[in-house]
């Protein structure tokens, strides 16, 4: 990726051809140097191999191992020779000398076969091509030449070429910097001014310090920025006028939209309320004319019968069904119910049953309760809880007096029912009725608890927030 400033880009563009030339020349010089070093190693190995063949050929033929060992000792003392080995035709080592305990992989190995004929030094390199069926092969000489000396030569070649390349590049950079400094300075100044214009500063101008085409470019740039500045002023004035007019229109539309939205919500609520009211009215009418009429007719028929325990039980059951039916009808009502009136209606209905059983009722309802209104569905939950409380007392406690207290504290309705009978633990007496009362208390977003009071009877407490029920 190209550098971002102009000076670096000019340097990069000017240096690319120089770098390519330096790289090509360096690679060529390095290749020539390495070839020369490798050829030198090859020639050295061939010379030593020729001498080794001349010195050992006769002793190979005679099998004089001792003389071969002496020749190996002479050859190992030659510079660059790291190991010498004489091997017969059966690959048996006749003599061996080495400067290292282990074979070094970087050593160059020369293998020269020995045949049973005189070989001149010029023919040593061609011995490997002699076929075994023409001359008798006596064995071979294995000479390993160390590359350490040649590695040093390679390092010197690398260093020399690197020094030449770095020097050429440094000189090229200096020359490019020296001749491109003024040009890059003019372009950099103009680029800086263009950046300021991009950021919104239309007062910025480029210094006219260039020459020739660069100077003309700077002047054209300054004239262009001046034109942009004039257009910007005109555009801002037009935008201000258009914005003012648009804001006025938007304010008017916003007010109209707000009014329309309010009207739409009111219409939706009216339609919804009307639909709910019509449906509930239809259900209430059907239930009243159907189930209610049947219950009233059944009660009237049973009361015409002669007095008996069965007649009284059936009549009492029908009246309780009518009371429950009234509660269901009440829960379908759209309007809210006053808590004081709701409790008074419950007191009126429960008093008849308590009077027959000889149970007294102490009624303590605070005057603030008269200001509380609750929804029909919550009215049904509350009356069902009261019904279950009194039913449990009459069935299990054998009490002769019941006390009901209702008060208002910290925006919560507190309802408590106590009796003077016996109390059973919830684990023993708490069936579905207790679970239903707790569930209905949760529906009221309140809390229900059952415990033993000071008289030994049961104390049922219900609390629920006024906001949740009002």
């Amino acid at each position: 990726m190209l550098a971002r400033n102009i000076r670096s880009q000019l340097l990069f563009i000017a240096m690319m051809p120089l770098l390519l030339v330096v790289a090509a020349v360096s690679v060529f010089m390095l290749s020539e140097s390495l070839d020369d070093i490798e050829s030198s190693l090859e020639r050295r190995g061939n010379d030593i191999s020729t001498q080794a063949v001349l010195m050992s050929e006769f002793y190979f033929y005679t099998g004089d191992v001792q003389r071969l060992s002496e020749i190996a000792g002479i050859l190992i003392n030659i510079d660059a020779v790291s190991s010498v080995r004489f091997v017969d035709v059966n690959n048996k080592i006749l003599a061996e000398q080495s400067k290292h305990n282990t074979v070094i992989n970087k050593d160059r190995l020369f293998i020269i076969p020995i045949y049973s004929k005189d070989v001149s030094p010029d023919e040593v390199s061609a011995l490997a091509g002699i076929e075994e069926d023409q001359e008798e092969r006596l064995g071979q000489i294995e000479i390993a030449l160390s590359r350490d000396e040649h590695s040093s030569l390679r390092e010197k070649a690398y260093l020399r070429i690197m020094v030449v390349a770095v020097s050429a590049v440094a000189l090229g950079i200096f020359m490019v910097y020296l001749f491109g400094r003024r040009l890059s300075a003019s372009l950099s100044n103009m680029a800086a001014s263009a950046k300021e214009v991009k950021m919104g500063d239309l007062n910025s101008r480029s210094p006219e310090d260039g020459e020739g085409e660069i100077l003309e470019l700077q002047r054209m740039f300054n004239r262009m920025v001046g034109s942009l500045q004039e257009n910007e002023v005109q555009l801002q004035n037009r935008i201000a006028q258009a914005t003012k007019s648009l804001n006025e229109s938007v304010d008017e539309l916003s007010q109209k939209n707000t009014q329309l939205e309010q009207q739409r919500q009111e219409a939706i609520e009216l339609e919804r309320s009307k639909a709910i009211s019509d449906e509930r009215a239809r259900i209430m009418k059907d239930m009243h004319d159907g189930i209610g009429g049947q219950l009233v007719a059944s009660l009237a028929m049973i009361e015409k019968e002669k007095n008996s325990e069965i007649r009284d039980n059936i009549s009492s059951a029908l009246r309780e069904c009518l009371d429950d039916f009234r509660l269901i009808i009440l829960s379908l009502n759209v309007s809210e119910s006053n808590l004081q009136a709701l409790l008074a209606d419950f007191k009126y209905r429960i008093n008849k049953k308590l009077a027959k059983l000889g149970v007294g009722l102490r009624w303590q309802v605070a005057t603030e309760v008269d200001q509380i209104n609750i929804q029909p569905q919550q009215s049904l939950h509350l009356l069902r809880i009261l019904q279950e409380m009194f039913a449990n007392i009459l069935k299990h406690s054998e009490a002769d007096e019941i006390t009901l207290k209702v008060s208002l504290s910290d925006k919560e309705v507190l309802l408590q029912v106590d009796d003077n009978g016996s109390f059973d633990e919830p684990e023993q007496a708490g069936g579905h009725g207790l679970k239903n009362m707790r569930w209905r208390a949760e529906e009221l977003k309140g809390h229900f608890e059952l415990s033993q009071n000071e008289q030994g009877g049961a104390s049922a407490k219900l609390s629920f927030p006024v906001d949740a029920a009002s």
Side-chain angles (χ1 to χ4, degrees):
M1 183 176 179
L2 292 177
R4 296 190 178 185
N5 59 77
I6 295 175
R7 183 173 299 175
S8 298
Q9 291 183 18
L10 289 174
L11 179 62
F12 179 81
I13 294 171
M15 286 300 299
M16 279 300 296
L18 177 61
L19 291 175
L20 292 176
V21 172
V22 170
V25 173
S26 300
V27 170
F28 177 76
M29 293 176 61
L30 181 60
S31 177
E32 289 293 325
S33 299
L34 295 179
D35 289 342
D36 291 342
I37 293 172
E38 193 65 26
S39 298
S40 175
L41 179 62
E42 186 73 22
R43 288 193 302 271
R44 183 73 177 275
N46 290 333
D47 293 342
I48 295 174
S49 300
T50 302
Q51 294 176 10
V53 169
L54 294 175
M55 296 171 63
S56 61
E57 182 181 20
F58 176 75
Y59 302 110
F60 257 104
Y61 182 77
T62 60
D64 192 345
V65 176
Q66 183 178 356
R67 297 295 295 179
L68 290 176
S69 298
E70 293 176 359
I71 294 172
I74 295 172
L75 293 175
I76 199 63
N77 292 324
I78 299 175
D79 293 338
V81 176
S82 60
S83 67
V84 178
R85 179 185 295 175
F86 294 98
V87 181
D88 63 10
V89 71
N90 297 320
N91 290 328
K92 178 181 178 181
I93 299 175
L94 302 176
E96 181 178 12
Q97 291 288 339
S98 177
K99 292 180 180 179
H100 308 289
N101 294 327
T102 58
V103 178
I104 300 178
N105 293 330
K106 67 179 182 178
D107 289 350
R108 172 68 183 276
L109 183 63
F110 291 85
I111 300 177
I112 307 95
I114 304 298
Y115 296 93
S116 61
K117 75 168 189 174
D118 293 335
V119 181
S120 63
D122 295 334
E123 297 174 335
V124 172
S125 59
L127 288 176
I130 300 175
E131 299 180 359
E132 293 184 359
D133 56 353
Q134 296 177 358
E135 295 90 7
E136 180 182 359
R137 181 169 178 168
L138 302 177
Q140 65 184 25
I141 304 174
E142 298 177 2
I143 300 176
L145 297 185
S146 175
R147 294 181 182 268
D148 292 340
E149 180 180 353
H150 295 84
S151 298
S152 176
L153 293 176
R154 287 191 183 91
E155 294 175 358
K156 290 180 181 180
Y158 293 151
L159 180 61
R160 182 173 60 256
I161 294 171
M162 185 176 295
V163 170
V164 172
V166 171
S167 300
V169 172
L171 180 61
I173 293 175
F174 175 75
M175 296 299 292
V176 171
Y177 175 80
L178 185 64
F179 290 105
R181 181 177 181 181
R182 184 171 182 179
L183 175 63
S184 63
S186 300
L187 294 177
S188 297
N189 292 334
M190 190 166 60
S193 299
K195 185 176 181 181
E196 293 176 357
V197 171
K198 178 183 177 182
M199 299 299 294
D201 184 10
L202 296 179
N203 294 319
S204 177
R205 297 293 185 274
S206 173
E208 298 179 0
D209 55 357
E211 294 180 359
E213 295 179 352
I214 299 297
L215 177 61
E216 184 63 24
L217 180 61
Q218 291 173 336
R219 290 173 179 174
M220 292 177 61
F221 174 80
N222 291 334
R223 288 195 296 268
M224 181 188 66
V225 174
S227 299
L228 288 175
Q229 189 174 20
E230 294 176 0
N231 294 336
E232 180 69 16
V233 173
Q234 297 176 2
L235 182 60
Q236 290 297 332
N237 293 333
R238 293 179 182 177
I239 291 175
Q241 295 176 359
T243 302
K244 182 179 179 181
S245 176
L246 182 61
N247 288 336
E248 294 175 354
S249 301
V250 169
D251 291 339
E252 295 177 359
L253 289 174
S254 178
Q255 294 176 0
K256 292 181 180 179
N257 287 336
T258 302
Q259 295 174 359
L260 290 174
E261 182 64 22
Q262 291 176 353
Q263 294 175 1
R264 189 177 72 86
Q265 291 295 333
E266 291 174 358
I268 292 174
E269 290 296 328
L270 287 174
E271 289 292 334
R272 181 174 177 274
S273 300
K274 183 177 181 303
I276 294 175
S277 177
D278 292 344
E279 183 64 17
R280 287 185 174 179
R282 184 188 66 79
I283 295 174
M284 290 171 60
K285 183 177 179 181
D286 291 343
M287 294 179 65
H288 182 272
D289 295 342
I291 301 175
Q294 293 293 333
L295 289 175
V296 172
S298 300
L299 182 61
M301 291 175 60
I302 200 65
E303 287 182 347
K304 291 180 181 180
E305 299 292 331
K306 295 180 180 181
N307 291 334
S308 65
E309 183 178 357
I310 296 176
R311 170 188 174 276
D312 293 339
N313 291 337
I314 296 175
S315 176
S316 177
L318 289 175
R319 290 185 183 278
E320 289 182 357
C321 290
L322 280 173
D323 291 339
D324 285 343
F325 184 70
R326 287 180 59 199
L327 290 178
I328 296 173
I329 296 296
L330 180 62
S331 67
L332 294 174
N333 190 12
V334 178
S335 60
E336 298 178 342
S337 301
N338 181 266
L339 182 58
Q340 179 79 321
L342 191 70
L343 294 174
D345 182 73
F346 176 78
K347 178 182 178 183
Y348 171 78
R349 290 187 288 105
I350 200 66
N351 260 337
K352 295 181 181 180
K353 184 180 292 187
L354 296 178
K356 290 181 180 180
L357 298 175
V359 178
L361 176 63
R362 297 179 61 187
W363 195 264
Q364 301 177 5
V365 179
T367 57
E368 295 87 353
V369 177
D370 188 47
Q371 301 176 0
I372 301 174
N373 294 325
I374 60 177
Q375 297 293 333
Q377 189 61 36
Q378 276 114 11
S379 300
L380 180 62
H381 288 314
L382 178 59
L383 291 176
R384 289 298 189 193
I385 292 174
L386 286 173
Q387 282 182 335
E388 189 66 26
M389 288 181 181
F390 277 80
N392 287 338
I393 293 173
L394 297 178
K395 290 179 182 179
H396 304 294
S397 68
E398 299 180 357
D400 57 8
E401 185 178 68
I402 301 175
T403 302
L404 184 142
K405 299 179 182 179
V406 183
S407 61
L408 184 65
S409 175
D410 295 332
K411 295 185 179 182
E412 274 194 339
V413 174
L414 305 178
L415 187 146
Q416 180 175 347
V417 177
D418 293 287
D419 67 77
N420 61 353
S422 59
F423 174 74
D424 293 330
E425 293 294 333
E427 289 78 10
Q428 300 175 0
H432 292 290
L434 182 59
K435 293 180 181 179
N436 290 337
M437 285 190 288
R438 286 175 175 166
W439 173 78
R440 293 184 183 277
E442 292 177 357
E443 291 295 311
L444 291 171
K445 298 182 180 179
H447 177 70
F448 175 82
E449 64 178 61
L450 181 65
S451 61
Q452 188 175 19
N453 56 29
E454 296 179 354
Q455 299 177 347
S459 177
K461 297 178 182 179
L462 172 67
S463 62
F464 59 92
V466 174
D467 292 338
S470 62

